[in-house]
């Protein structure tokens, strides 16, 4: 999976630092998420940020903060384990 789409995304026209706010800076996180709001690539971006080989540990990607992505990955992992056990 390639991240080429990001060059056409809203985040490409802002200071890259804006997408990597300190997670304790809620205003910065909200601002970064607002940049993602109108992005047509959110779903692709989130998948890429969660995939094991392209995982993005830090920053806002796909409209989710790093904490939100970790929580989502944990939920998805639990769901996968449950479905494999069924
Ligand atoms: S979802 Fe956000 S981080 Fe991902 S490509 Fe779009 S604007 Fe950039």
């Amino acid at each position: 999976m390639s991240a080429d789409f990001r060059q056409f995304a809203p985040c490409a026209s802002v200071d890259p630092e804006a997408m990597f706010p300190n997670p304790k800076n809620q205003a910065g996180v909200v601002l970064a998420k607002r940049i993602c709001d109108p992005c047509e690539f959110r779903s692709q971006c989130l998948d890429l940020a969660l995939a094991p080989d392209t995982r993005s540990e830090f920053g806002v990607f796909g409209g989710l903060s790093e904490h939100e992505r970790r929580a989502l990955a944990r939920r998805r992992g639990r769901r996968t384990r449950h479905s494999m056990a069924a």
Side-chain angles (χ1 to χ4, degrees):
M1 197 183 309
S2 166
D4 287 352
F5 61 85
R6 285 187 180 140
Q7 65 186 302
F8 305 108
C11 60
S13 55
V14 301
D15 180 346
E17 291 291 315
M19 302 310 290
F20 293 90
N22 182 322
K24 292 179 182 168
N25 173 5
Q26 271 308 301
V29 172
V30 167
L31 212 62
K33 290 165 82 171
R34 278 197 194 135
I35 293 166
C36 294
D37 272 347
C39 181
E40 64 184 287
F41 306 111
R42 280 182 65 164
S43 175
Q44 283 171 259
C45 184
L46 184 58
D47 286 346
L48 197 67
L50 290 170
D53 53 337
T54 55
R55 186 185 315 256
S56 298
E57 294 290 338
F58 304 104
V60 171
F61 287 96
L64 297 185
S65 70
E66 54 203 63
H67 293 309
E68 291 167 332
R69 287 197 310 282
R70 282 188 205 120
L72 179 59
R74 280 194 299 273
R75 286 196 302 274
R76 284 184 177 178
R78 273 199 298 267
R79 213 176 298 142
T80 302
R81 283 192 296 278
H82 284 299
S83 64
M84 288 171 71

